[in-house]
Amino acid sequence: MIITPYSQLQATGIHKSFGRVQVLNGIDFTMDTNDAIGIVGPNGAGKSTLLSVLSGAQPPTSGQIKLNDQDITHQPARQRAKQGLVRTHQIPKPFSGISVFENVFVAAIHSATNNREEAYDIALESIKLCGMLPLANREADSIGLLDRKRLELARALATQPKLLFLDEIGGGLTDAEALQLVDTILTLRERGIGIVWIEHIVHILLRVAKTLICMDSGRIIAQGTPDDVMSNQQVMKAYMGGASHAVSA
Amino acid sequence: AQDDDTIRIGFISPRTGPLASFGKTDGFILEQARLALANGMTVAGKHYQVEIIDRDSQSDPARASQLAKELINQDVDLMLAISTPEVINPVADASEAAGIPFISTVMPWEAWYYGRGAKPGEASPFKWTYHFGFGTDEFYRTYLSQWSLIDTNKKVGVMYPNDADGNAIRAVLKPRIEKAGYTVIDPGAYETGTSDFSSQIALFKSEGVEIINSFPIPPDFAAFWRQAAQQGLHRQIKIIQIAKTGLFPSDIEVLGSLGPKIASAAYWHKTFPYTSPLTGQNGEELAALWEKQTGEQWTQQLGATLSLFDAGTEVLKQSKNPMSRTSVRDAIAKLNVTTIGGQVDFTSGPVPNVASGPIIGAQWVKGTGKFKLDYVITENVTDTNVPVTHTLLQYNR
Amino acid sequence: MINSLVQAILLGGYYALVACGLAFMFQVMRIINLAHGSLAILSAYLVWEITDALALSPFISVLMVLPIMAVVGLLLQRVILERATKGGELLPVLTTFGLAIVIDNLLFQQFGANTRSLAPYLGDLSWDSYEIFGLWIGKLPVIVLLTAIVVIGGLDLVLRFTPLGRQIRATAFDPETAGLVGIDSRKIAGISAAIAMMTVAISGTALGLRGTFDAYAGGPQLLFAFEATIIGGAGSLWGVFMGGIILAIAQSVGALIHPQGFLLGGHLVFLMFLFARIYLNSNVFSLKHWLIKRRHKGDSL
Amino acid sequence: MLSVHNLDVRYGQFRAVQGVSIEITQGDIVSLIGANGAGKSTFLKAIAGALPIYSGSVSFKDQDITDTSSSTRVQQGLSLVPEGRRLFSEMTVEENLLLGKAAQRQGDWDIERIFTTFPNLVKRRYSKTGNLSGGEQQATAIGRALMANPELLILDEVSLGLSPLVVDQVYASIESLRDAGTTILLVEQDLERAITFSQRAICMLEGRIVLDKLTADTHRDEITQAYFGLNKATQQEVS
Amino acid sequence: MKIKRSNAYSKATIFIIVVLFIVLIMMPMLASNNVMERLTVLFIYIIMAAMWNTLAGFGGLISIGQQLFFGLGAYATIRITNLGVSPFAALLMAACLVGLLSWPISTFMLRLKAGEFAIGMWVLASIGHLLVNLDPLIQGETGISLIALNQFDIETRRTLIYLSALLGMSGLLLGLFFILRSRAGIAMQAIRDNEEAADSIGVDAEKVKKWFFIFAAFGTALAGALWLAQASSFQPKTYFSVQWTAYMIFMVLVGGLGRFEGAILGALLFFAVETWFADTGVWYLVGLGAVAMLCSLFLPKGIWGAIENRLGITLIPVGYQVTGLVVDKKSKKT
Ligand SMILES: Nc1ncnc2c1ncn2[C@@H]1O[C@H](COP(=O)(O)OP(=O)(O)OP(=O)(O)O)[C@@H](O)[C@H]1O
Ligand SMILES: Nc1ncnc2c1ncn2[C@@H]1O[C@H](COP(=O)(O)OP(=O)(O)OP(=O)(O)O)[C@@H](O)[C@H]1O
Ligand SMILES: [Mg+2]
Ligand SMILES: [Mg+2]
């Protein structure tokens, strides 16, 4: 089994606003390759934005991000990807004109390795892990929404990440499919990849997360073991509403 | 006779595209020329069939160059090209490269000679290509003669664009006009396609110019002159002398009431007192036939194109062997003939490979016949055989 | 100096008018219409034909050409754009490029090489002017400027505040979804194209009145229209109005600096705006931007 | 109210929906379930007129609508909230909602009521929908469909990407629609939710219907099996 | 499972290409003047189409301003020969110079998106044109001729130009082929489809786009220089005319956008159409416009795309194919 080298991410005092709209309001966030963090929170809480900022797709308005004690606040996403910090997109962004394999291969050859043969293997392995082998030669344009989400995952995996950010890749899955996904992610966790997973289907999230974070209005309102967080009054009020069955199911 | 050899003449002109107003009459002239050559010609006792292969450059220099090569590869014995540097220069270059005798007309010879890389004072780099027609010297003489016809303060506002004509005129004509006692107000070269001329107009107004001289393309002139009128400049102008635009009636008709009394200069006019050696027609006959066949007004291009064929066929007749390139080329170099457009004499040109031709002072006036405008001759210094038919009218009167 | 500025603003009005139809298609319908200039020339010819044949004033003939161009727009939409827009942003660029070539050459085939102008049919109005404080202000350019204001203002209001305007924007953005929302997207797309072509007809007439045209005169008009559109920003049609004026001023300043600088000045300012916007990342010239700002302020009060 | 007969929908050669027939009567609440790629969205889009029908027929309120355009169907009272929201992202929330009125149907949904139903949208009223969070977008999409006052509301993947609280809110509002007599056909991957909310469940597998039963008469296991085509018996029953 | 990058057809193609190249190299000994001159033009067309396809088809960068590089290539050749350099060396130097110049240009222009890039390039081409007009050597719109070529006799000159065009085309196509098959090639296609996502997986979009841009600029400049060599006359209005880009668009659209073979096929077709129909004047141009329009509407992947779909063959494969899968019925064909 491949064991991923240790890596640690530290973000302090992250603020992000779009014009007048304040989306992140002072987030402190630390993780390393041993973590499996679930993030929940109402729609618009700023979860995806936090991922964007951490992965470098958007710069923070203020605050600092460090990777292995190096300041990466102003590093572009591609350099972070090369250092093992990769995200998936909530709304999938496939490279629609090329095949599924090629989608994944680009990631492998640009972030994981320079060796072509190695990159082939990495790409195929990632595709296999996400259960997409039968679609490998399909043009990405022709696959459905959920396959696109899997493709997001496969592509991120092919970069051989150390810290992997997943944004709602489980939405819309049937129970069985969701369980499959959980298996996949558990495999990654065992390989020593640090995982941050945003998901609204709390019960599948809880199968993976060791730590749970709940965000609301750009702040972290609760953080701790899943049980603690789920029973937190504030979380109940802001997020779960009366839907406690979603957890029990 | 069946077994006669066939002489091939290549002819390239702009019949479509932006320059099409030059090529509009070419179909008609070609018809006349072919009719005249239907029985072939006899050269040095031998009879030949003559075939004219005509091509449309579509006003596109790249295409002109392609067509020239195509014709060269079809073994033309003589290449002719006409109207504007965009057509003539590429064809001339292709002919020079391939060693094909070539004659052209209707563009200032300076742009033809220097524009293709010849250097003043050096020997001519051209062995195969020849051009006849007007140059800056003719313009100079014509303008002085024309402008002396009306009493003015001798202040000339000039609008010369940034092209070979404009630059050559600025470099050569301007100092000579100044020497002749005129004050030249030059706001500098402008780029074609400019659509606002208010700074130039303001300058002319403040300097009180009474003569305007300009070498614009038609759309630029229309824009300039209408703006000038809007800003009141036209009231102080006694002579507006334009070249390059105003060659054809439609250029002036579009100006509406601002059009009449604009002065221009013609490289041909139907009253030229010459006869075509090729077709035997004189200018009036040619113009009348055109007007009868098409119902449209005659243009100066009619005579110009025919004069090119006149020159071309004379060259073939005077050559020792019309199928030999060198002998045709030698015949051009020695050519001295009177065409429907006047004398073409390559033996005494201003520079080698060039024969100069006339440019006659003219003016557009309100039409008396069935057309809106008439084109009348007001002076004849560059070819005194041409009759002056009208006195120059003052523009602002 | 002031004279130059005034003349530039008047010229800018013309650019704005020419740009308006293009901007409408570019910003609202999301089609880069490279046949814009050619279509303007087509309408200029139509106006000319009617004016000449029926001995009317061009101002009357343009009223007759408006419905004709509306039909042209409808056909354009049905036959070409409908298919082209399905293929992404690129395809309409390419198709309309082809269309421009077709129109130019057909016009040439029909009308030949002669330059035409509508000005002669206006009599002295084509060059009459008001003389105010030593400034000469052409009557025709003033008419063109006012027309630009009316056309752009009217379109802008329709687009922003009427259900039709919203439907036009929605259809342009995503016709399939527009259908699911209950919008008859084919009809709306047809109407949009018809509106765009009517503005093109007006701008073509303005071109014919101001200057001359021939079958191949569409190209330069297209470039000016583009520059005005892009200088104006993607915010609203008023931006285009500003864009036209800025373009004209830039050209005049260019011409003042160097006689050959007229076009160059316009082009450089165009590029400057393009990059300034990217670097500053804001649409300073978008009215909407300011409106929204104001409304937000209103909210918080 | 809606009757689909022998419907076939194809992408090129590929038959995404094959010979599907269903009957939905006024007031029904129907859940459509099935694995990813089963053809649910394709089926719904075909009903709504967003995809051409290859063969078969669809009729709505006893009128054949097989060949009518999607906008006509909305005018007749059939609205679809498409998968992936499909908002006009350059337009504001308010404008998106107002567009819903294009069909000009009478009814009690208006813009204020939408904002009451989805209070999280109030603050975003003048924001471009492209900048909204996933959940806010979903709410806007549903709101937009409601503005047409549909008689039959079709919702594809309603709760995808919504936080549990919002899902509850959405369902609460759909419920109020149900109580007002709107017929509803929805795709929901949360089986529990589907079963408790609807009276009837239809399960699709590889473009066919493999199960169509009242929820009262079925249980989770049967549906789960149908999902994966394990239950041959059910399959035969239907065909 | 294995990754395959070639197939039976492509192996045959390589053989044919090699044979064809040898035949073409020997052409000056075999063919008539006319054939050689026409082939030279064809080679230049192929370069132009391939370069535009590089940008638009593989990079999603639609430029309506490639005439900038075409014109600059020719202009630089004039300027360099004017310094006394042999015209044939000047061709290559000019292309390199323009390639170099395109580097700073790319830094700015590549920041523009889609339509703005397209038109921005067009405006830039106009600026280039106006600036070249300021050079007194060029004499404004009148231009100048490359008479330095007159030093060669007509046969040598024709052969040298032919060979330059042949080698230029072969070199550029070969280069393009390898670039497309390299990691930059697949990256460029990813960027074309979604730049943000490409960035998020470690693709340096800016760099890749820049190299493609420079490559296309270099190639187009070489085409312009070669065109000047075979036509002799340089006139700014002609060389900076948007018509060249129109031709490129026509060729690529008809042949097949984003397909290596498509650009070549398109150039061949354009060449054939021009050869046979150009004499019909206005109608030829109308036809050209109409065909481009129809192709873009009804054959979005061009003729080659249609052939590929129908017959399932790729002659010059630049993609990746996974073999040994349980093949799903809709999978992309080799
Ligand atoms: N535009 C398209 N072109 C080709 N095939 C398509 C297209 N859209 C969908 N498909 C295919 O049709 C089949 C059914 O797709 P559909 O989206 O209807 O499934 P679904 O049941 O809604 O799945 P999901 O749960 O993923 O939304 C899938 O195999 C899909 O790959
Ligand atoms: N580019 C942007 N411009 C303006 N506002 C934005 C932008 N991106 C996000 N926002 C706003 O920021 C807020 C947080 O968005 P974000 O996507 O992070 O939410 P989220 O927590 O991921 O929600 P969800 O669970 O619905 O995906 C939202 O209100 C959204 O409207
Ligand atoms: Mg999110
Ligand atoms: Mg679906």
Side-chain angles (χ1 to χ4, degrees), chain A residues 18 23 43-49 90 200, chain D residues 124 131-135:
Chain A
F18 296 105
V23 177
N43 298 117
K47 305 180 295 295
S48 302
T49 308
Q90 179 172 4
H200 288 300
Chain D
R124 294 273 165 270
N131 296 338
L132 298 188
S133 83

Side-chain angles (χ1 to χ4, degrees), chain A residues 28 54 60 66 187 201 211 236:
Chain A
D28 295 324
L54 292 180
K66 282 176 160 182
T187 321
I201 311 172
T211 316
M236 295 287 260

